[in-house]
Amino acid sequence: MKKKKVALVFGISNDYVFALANTIVGLKKYNRKFWDDIIVYHDSLSRHDMNNIKKLDNSIIFRSRFDEKLINNITPDIIKKYSKACMYRFDCFNLLKEYKCVIWNDVDILIQGNIEGLLEYGKKSGFAATLSSGGFNVEANFKKLIPEYNMFTPLYNSGILVLRDHLKGYEHYAEWCVNTAKKYAPVLRWPDQGIINLLIQEFNIDVEIIDIYKYCCHPTQKEHIKTASIIHAYGDEKFWNNDSLIKEFSEWKINNDEWHELCTNNININYDMPLVSCVMSVYNRYDFLRESVESILQQTYTNIELIIVLEKCENQLKIERILKSLNDNRIVIIKNSKKLGFAESLNVGFRISKGKYIARMDDDDISLKDRFYKQVLFMENNPQVGICGTNAIFFGKYSSVIGVETDSEKLKIITLFKTPFIHPTVMINKHLFDKYKLYYSSDYFTEDYELWSRAVQYFPFANIEDVLLKYRTGIEKLTDGSNELKLHNSHLRVMYNQFSKYLGLDLSYNELNLIQERKDVCAICFNRAESQLLLKKTLNKILQANRRKKVYNHRYLIDYKKHASPRGFKPFIKKCLKLIISPFYSSLMYRVDARIEECNEEIYKYIDKRLEEQDNQHDQI
C-alpha cells in the first residue's frame, strides 16, 4: 500500500471537543492544506459531535484505539488530571506504517500563524520534539528515580512531535511504550512524556529540536507570543478557564464562538439521544430572564424541553410575553393560577417532565453551551448516579470559582453538614427520583438541601469539576424572598434530621451551629476555647456513632473531621487584614498568607494542647 505524505494527529477525551474544534478552526484560518488527513483519537465521542467536527474539515478521520489494561494500571489521580487521551500519542509510531510524516499536537493550543514549517523537522533522524525551556530534567516525569535510565538529562516535551518513517525501529515503538507505561505506572507523574523520554534513551534516538518559541510557546513567554505560530497553554491555566488568558488571547474566544455558531446553526434534534427536561420557576423577576433562557436554547445538546413554571404574580403576563417572543417550540410554559411557592412550583415542572433526565436552572444564571452535553454523557456512563452537579463561576457583585467535590463517598459525608451541589447546576435521573418519590418539600426554606438529604440514602451523588454555569451574585436569589434566620434554622433542621435518621444522634442547637458549614461560627466567637472544645467533642461523637452504624466511609469521615477541627485564628486574622488592605488584598494576600501560617503554628499547638487538657478534665468529671 502506498503511503500518504502527512497526517496531523490529535487525541481527545469526550469533554475536549471544543478544544479540538478551536485548534482546527485556527489551522484552517492560517494554513493552506499541507496534510492528507487529520487523525483524531478519542474514547467515546458521540455521533453528533463527530458530525459537527467533520464539518470543519472533510479530511478528519476518527479512530478509537485504546488499551484499557494500560489505563487500569495508571493511578486514577494521574488519569483524572491529564485524561486518557495523553496516551494516544504512542500510536503515532504505528501511523508511520500509513504516512511518511506524522505530526502530533496537543489541543490546549491556539494556532495563530502558519505551521507548515514543522515539515522541515525530523528529516535527519526521523524524530523531532521541543526541549523543555524551564530547565526540567527527565526525573520530573516520575514520582521517584528510575535507576535504569539517566534521570538528570534534559527533558523533551511531548506536546508536539514530528515523526518520519525513516525513524529506525519505529514499528516496535508503540508496543514498547505501552508495556513500559504498564511497568512504571505507579510512579508516573507526567505519563506520556515520561515514557517518550525513556524511549529516546532506550533506543538512542537522535532528537531534532523544534523551535519551542515558535511552535510550542507558553503564554508566559511575553517576548515571543506575538510571533509564535502556536501558543500552547500547558499547565492548569487554559484559554477557557483563566480570565487573563481569555482577555490576552481573544482570538481563542473568536474561534470558539465560530464553533458554537456552527453547532447552533446546524440544530437537528436527534431523538436517539435522551430527552432532557430543564425546569425553571420564575416569580416576578425578568431582568435577566431572556439571557438565561437563551443559554438553554443554545446548548450544543439539542434534544431538550424547557419547562418554565410562572408563579402567580403581578408580572406573570409580561414574563409570558417575553418567553413567547423567543419563538421556540421547545419552551413549555406553565402558569400557576395561585401562588404555590418555589418548592411546589419546581415540583409542578418535575411532574410534567418527559425527559430521561431533569436539569435545574434559575432565571438569572447562564448555562455554558456544553453543560447538558457533558452532564448527559456522564449520566449515561454512570447510570447508578442519581444527581450530577457541576462547578460554577460566580459573577456579578462577587466573582470566584468554588471547587466542587467529585467523589461520591465524600459527597455523602458533605451532605451531613451542607448542600453538596450548586443547585442550578444539577441534572437528575428522573427514573430514580420517581422510584423513590423524591420531590421538594415546601416545609423548608432550604428546599434543595432538604431534598438532597433524603436522596443521599438511595443512590450515589456526583459532581463534574468543569465550570458549566455562571452563577449571578449580588441580587435576590430566592423566589419568595430571603430571610437569613429562617434559612439558617432550616439548614440546621435538615442537618438534625440526617444525624438523627442515619447516625441515631440527637444533636443540640449549639452543636449543630458549630459543625454547620454555612458560616464560620468559631472564627468570631468570644468564648472561643470553650466553643472549640464543644466542636471537638461533637465531631468525636459523630465518629463514634459512625463506628457503630457504619453508614459513612470512616476514613473519609476522619479526614473531614480533621478538616473541620478548630482553626479559628487564621480566618479571623485574614478577615481583619482584608478589611484594612482591601484595595490591594488579592495581590498582597498570598505573600502574607504563608507568614500568617508560620506565626499561628505555635498558637495552634497551644490551642490543641489546652483543648486536650480540658477534654481530659471533662472526661474525669
Side-chain angles (χ1 to χ4, degrees), residues 89-94 96 99-104 118-132 138 154-174 176-177 192-211:
R89 76 197 73 215
F90 296 160
D91 210 52
C92 287
F93 298 110
N94 285 330
L96 291 175
Y99 300 89
K100 292 183 178 180
C101 179
V102 172
I103 300 174
W104 167 279
L118 289 172
L119 295 175
E120 298 303 312
Y121 291 98
K123 290 184 174 180
K124 181 181 177 182
S125 69
F127 193 117
T130 55
L131 194 64
S132 172
V138 173
L155 172 69
Y156 291 103
N157 305 121
S158 64
I160 182 169
L161 300 171
V162 178
L163 308 174
R164 294 186 178 274
D165 64 350
H166 59 267
L167 175 64
K168 186 177 179 181
Y170 74 82
E171 300 91 343
H172 312 293
Y173 288 172
W176 185 92
C177 286
D192 52 296
Q193 191 166 269
I195 300 304
I196 292 293
N197 275 270
L198 297 190
L199 175 82
I200 291 168
Q201 292 188 33
E202 181 75 19
F203 297 98
N204 197 28
I205 297 173
D206 181 17
V207 181
E208 297 177 37
I209 309 300
I210 298 173
D211 183 351

Side-chain angles (χ1 to χ4, degrees), residues 34-231:
F34 63 85
W35 59 89
D36 294 282
D37 296 315
I38 297 175
I39 309 293
V40 176
Y41 285 100
H42 68 96
D43 54 357
S44 57
L45 290 189
S46 69
R47 180 65 58 184
H48 178 71
D49 280 334
M50 286 192 276
N51 288 339
N52 278 334
I53 289 288
K54 288 277 285 185
K55 291 169 186 173
L56 295 173
D57 192 284
N58 59 13
S59 68
I60 295 175
I61 298 172
F62 292 97
R63 294 190 178 184
S64 182
R65 187 172 298 175
F66 202 66
D67 187 334
E68 288 293 343
K69 291 182 179 178
L70 166 61
I71 298 305
N72 291 338
N73 286 345
I74 305 295
T75 55
D77 58 321
I78 294 297
I79 292 300
K80 181 178 178 181
K81 183 172 183 179
Y82 296 103
S83 90
K84 305 171 183 178
C86 63
M87 302 296 182
Y88 289 134
R89 76 197 73 215
F90 296 160
D91 210 52
C92 287
F93 298 110
N94 285 330
L95 289 177
L96 291 175
K97 300 170 185 177
E98 305 174 47
Y99 300 89
K100 292 183 178 180
C101 179
V102 172
I103 300 174
W104 167 279
N105 242 308
D106 288 350
V107 293
D108 53 344
I109 63 174
L110 170 65
I111 295 181
Q112 59 175 21
N114 189 291
I115 68 168
E116 197 169 350
L118 289 172
L119 295 175
E120 298 303 312
Y121 291 98
K123 290 184 174 180
K124 181 181 177 182
S125 69
F127 193 117
T130 55
L131 194 64
S132 172
S133 60
F136 294 107
N137 292 319
V138 173
E139 60 83 25
N141 292 288
F142 301 91
K143 297 177 183 177
K144 72 174 186 178
L145 300 181
I146 309 297
E148 296 87 348
Y149 294 94
N150 297 326
M151 291 283 100
F152 300 100
T153 191
L155 172 69
Y156 291 103
N157 305 121
S158 64
I160 182 169
L161 300 171
V162 178
L163 308 174
R164 294 186 178 274
D165 64 350
H166 59 267
L167 175 64
K168 186 177 179 181
Y170 74 82
E171 300 91 343
H172 312 293
Y173 288 172
E175 183 179 5
W176 185 92
C177 286
V178 169
N179 290 334
T180 306
K182 290 178 181 178
K183 179 179 178 180
Y184 294 114
V187 297
L188 285 174
R189 182 166 169 251
W190 297 338
D192 52 296
Q193 191 166 269
I195 300 304
I196 292 293
N197 275 270
L198 297 190
L199 175 82
I200 291 168
Q201 292 188 33
E202 181 75 19
F203 297 98
N204 197 28
I205 297 173
D206 181 17
V207 181
E208 297 177 37
I209 309 300
I210 298 173
D211 183 351
I212 194 170
Y213 298 119
K214 186 171 181 62
Y215 297 110
C216 194
C217 186
H218 193 267
T220 56
Q221 299 288 344
K222 301 301 182 183
E223 65 272 32
H224 300 289
I225 55 177
K226 289 185 178 180
T227 57
S229 294
I230 298 175
I231 306 295

Side-chain angles (χ1 to χ4, degrees), residues 563-613:
H563 167 73
S565 293
R567 281 293 184 264
F569 281 94
K570 181 181 175 184
F572 181 71
I573 293 173
K574 287 180 70 175
K575 186 178 292 186
C576 293
L577 280 172
K578 186 172 181 179
L579 289 173
I580 297 169
I581 61 173
S582 58
F584 45 94
Y585 171 77
S586 58
S587 61
L588 180 63
M589 202 62 228
Y590 76 94
R591 295 174 185 166
V592 302
D593 205 27
R595 182 57 183 158
I596 291 172
E597 189 67 55
E598 181 182 336
C599 292
N600 281 299
E601 192 55 40
E602 291 302 316
I603 298 175
Y604 295 159
K605 290 178 181 178
Y606 175 76
I607 290 174
D608 287 339
K609 183 178 179 181
R610 292 291 299 141
L611 286 171
E612 186 175 352
E613 290 174 356

Side-chain angles (χ1 to χ4, degrees), residues 228-468:
S229 294
I230 298 175
I231 306 295
H232 188 176
Y234 48 87
D236 294 330
E237 296 180 346
K238 308 295 186 185
F239 300 112
W240 54 87
N241 66 8
N242 180 278
D243 287 341
S244 62
L245 291 185
I246 291 171
K247 291 177 182 177
E248 185 173 7
F249 299 96
S250 58
E251 187 174 6
W252 192 93
K253 186 178 185 304
I254 293 172
N255 293 350
N256 197 50
D257 289 343
E258 182 177 330
W259 159 245
H260 281 301
E261 184 177 355
L262 181 149
C263 294
T264 303
N265 291 340
N266 290 280
I267 291 179
N268 291 309
I269 296 179
N270 181 357
Y271 291 101
D272 292 331
M273 300 185 295
L275 176 67
V276 172
S277 300
C278 182
V279 177
M280 179 189 296
S281 174
V282 184
Y283 174 73
N284 256 338
R285 187 175 58 193
Y286 54 84
D287 293 352
F288 309 103
L289 179 62
R290 181 180 293 271
E291 185 179 18
S292 178
V293 169
E294 287 179 342
S295 77
I296 298 299
L297 300 179
Q298 294 171 6
Q299 289 288 303
T300 56
Y301 189 94
T302 55
N303 193 19
I304 65 172
E305 62 172 353
L306 175 54
I307 300 171
I308 303 179
V309 182
L310 302 186
E311 182 67 288
K312 183 67 175 176
C313 62
E314 61 186 61
N315 288 323
Q316 191 182 53
L317 289 177
K318 184 171 185 176
I319 294 169
E320 183 182 16
R321 285 196 294 270
I322 292 173
L323 295 174
K324 287 184 175 179
S325 72
L326 293 170
N327 195 28
D328 194 307
N329 59 15
R330 293 174 294 173
I331 298 177
V332 179
I333 301 174
I334 305 296
K335 295 168 61 179
N336 291 346
S337 58
K338 62 180 181 179
K339 188 177 177 183
L340 299 179
F342 186 55
E344 191 52 41
S345 290
L346 291 179
N347 288 338
V348 169
F350 274 41
R351 289 189 180 99
I352 70 164
S353 63
K354 301 174 184 175
K356 180 177 181 180
Y357 302 114
I358 300 174
R360 272 286 293 114
M361 183 64 181
D362 283 343
D363 60 13
D364 59 332
D365 298 326
I366 301 170
S367 284
L368 301 191
K369 292 185 177 182
D370 287 331
R371 177 192 160 188
F372 287 178
Y373 167 75
K374 291 184 177 182
Q375 286 186 288
V376 169
L377 188 65
F378 180 89
M379 297 291 271
E380 289 287 281
N381 289 332
N382 299 275
Q384 77 282 4
V385 170
I387 311 171
C388 170
T390 82
N391 208 342
I393 183 169
F394 291 71
F395 75 107
K397 187 175 181 180
Y398 310 104
S399 299
S400 65
V401 176
I402 308 298
V404 291
E405 178 57 61
T406 58
D407 184 276
S408 62
E409 289 296 322
K410 293 179 181 178
L411 285 169
K412 187 176 179 180
I413 292 170
I414 287 172
T415 308
L416 281 170
F417 304 93
K418 62 180 180 179
T419 178
F421 303 112
I422 301 169
H423 190 190
T425 72
V426 299
M427 182 173 283
I428 288 164
N429 184 319
K430 188 175 189 294
H431 168 72
L432 292 176
F433 265 58
D434 287 345
K435 178 180 178 180
Y436 297 110
K437 298 179 174 55
L438 293 169
Y439 291 95
Y440 294 98
S441 172
S442 299
D443 294 334
Y444 292 82
F445 270 69
T446 50
E447 67 285 320
D448 57 322
Y449 181 32
E450 194 278 331
L451 179 58
W452 316 146
S453 74
R454 285 182 283 119
V456 72
Q457 65 188 304
Y458 298 118
F459 42 67
F461 292 172
N463 274 315
I464 298 173
E465 63 184 351
D466 295 1
V467 172
L468 297 178

